[in-house]
Amino acid sequence: MSQVFHAHHDPAEFVPFEVGTVQWLRRNGDNGNQALASGIWQITPEQAPEPFNLPINEDETIYIVSGHIRIEVEGQETFDLTAGSMASLSKGALTRWSIIEPTVEFFVYS
């Protein structure tokens, strides 16, 4: 079992995701840990021209490398996240995402 997961941001390694594309660093189940996954997500306004609902099925922590997204949390506030912003969303949160600018995001599911 690998105890270290390592990658470089490589456009050739991105694969289709639910919306946008992802380069996985670690997938759920790697090294026996079903809850943990991480990678880089890319999305453009053209790939998601309208806001979309995204129920949070796992705890998710994100860091915006570049770009701009807006996350509305049902019953709470709206967050505008730009380069350098971080957020941590709890499992069960009901969210609505708007892609304002092409965005690169590092994420961790746990």
Side-chain angles (χ1 to χ4, degrees), residues 14 21 27 36 38 40 43 47 63 65 71 95 98-99:
F14 280 79
T21 58
R27 292 177 183 257
L36 186 60
S38 61
I40 298 173
I43 186 77
Q47 292 170 306
Y63 173 78
V65 177
I71 301 174
T95 63
S98 299
I99 309 305

Side-chain angles (χ1 to χ4, degrees), residues 48-75:
E50 299 295 325
F52 57 94
N53 294 327
L54 183 64
I56 304 302
N57 297 319
E58 304 172 79
D59 288 341
E60 180 175 355
T61 299
I62 61 177
Y63 173 78
I64 305 301
V65 177
S66 63
H68 182 183
I69 61 176
R70 180 172 296 129
I71 301 174
E72 301 171 54
V73 182
E74 186 177 281

Side-chain angles (χ1 to χ4, degrees), residues 71-88:
I71 301 174
E72 301 171 54
V73 182
E74 186 177 281
Q76 297 181 28
E77 57 189 295
T78 297
F79 301 92
D80 274 288
L81 303 176
T82 57
S85 296
M86 296 180 282
S88 192

Side-chain angles (χ1 to χ4, degrees), residues 6-17 20-27 38-42 107:
H6 177 266
H8 290 281
H9 185 182
D10 182 352
E13 294 295 319
F14 280 79
V15 296
F17 198 53
T21 58
V22 66
Q23 179 187 349
W24 292 101
L25 172 61
R26 180 178 181 146
R27 292 177 183 257
S38 61
I40 298 173
W41 179 57
Q42 301 183 132
F107 66 89

